Amino acid sequence: MRLTKFTDLALRAMMRLAASGQSGSLTTREVAEAVDVPYAHMAKAITRLQHLGMVEARRGRGGGLGLTGLGRQASVGRLARELEGGSEVVACEGDQPCPLRAACRLRRALRDAQEAFYAALDPLTVADLVASPTGPVLVGLADRRPG
């Protein structure tokens, strides 16, 4: 099973925000720089996370990004399902549909394996992902970036 780059980016954003804790807000640019991704890509991921109710953005002085209560306790499996959008592991339809699609057992087996992948992530929360030693490393990433 492989997650899309978008899901990976969104999960890294959630982890970086969780690692910053209540102590201060970060901007989208700071999160992008900390995890070494282009700002535009991170901005799209942050927007999606806002729509899911995981991240809140405050404008103006003292503003920035922060995790919502839901975001702090979010299941990684649930997040991955939401961010992946229910995509199939294999594409059996389309311009050239698979000739086996009416009687294929592989598609169901792959769907079950995909769900098992997400189910393995269900017990983990974003908070679990940033427990030591990961959280301190995430916080220190911005300090090590060349200026």
Side-chain angles (χ1 to χ4, degrees):
M1 179 69 208
R2 185 180 192 130
L3 297 175
T4 62
K5 286 184 181 183
F6 180 79
T7 298
D8 175 49
L9 240 118
L11 290 172
R12 286 195 273 161
M14 293 285 292
M15 290 171 65
R16 181 59 186 96
L17 291 171
S20 71
Q22 306 288 357
S23 61
S25 297
L26 298 171
T27 65
T28 301
R29 188 164 309 283
E30 289 169 331
V31 174
E33 288 172 359
V35 296
D36 199 23
V37 298
Y39 169 79
H41 294 253
M42 185 55 73
K44 289 178 187 176
I46 294 292
T47 298
R48 179 75 172 116
L49 291 168
Q50 283 180 272
H51 287 225
L52 292 173
M54 303 291 159
V55 171
E56 63 180 351
R58 295 173 304 282
R59 294 184 179 271
R61 188 174 193 171
L65 302 172
L67 291 183
T68 63
L70 178 64
R72 278 190 280 289
Q73 296 305 313
S75 158
V76 176
R78 175 180 174 236
L79 266 170
R81 282 183 192 88
E82 292 280 344
L83 294 165
E84 289 292 310
S87 61
E88 294 278 338
V89 177
V90 293
C92 299
E93 308 298 331
D95 293 340
Q96 290 185 313
C98 176
L100 299 174
R101 72 185 181 281
C104 183
R105 297 175 76 179
L106 177 62
R107 185 178 189 180
R108 178 64 190 184
L110 291 173
R111 192 176 301 135
D112 290 346
Q114 181 181 34
E115 181 50 36
F117 175 82
Y118 292 138
L121 297 173
D122 282 339
L124 291 172
T125 66
V126 173
D128 294 332
L129 296 179
V130 297
S132 188
T134 306
V137 170
L138 279 166
V139 171
L141 288 177
D143 299 335
R144 289 186 262 165
R145 304 260 319 140

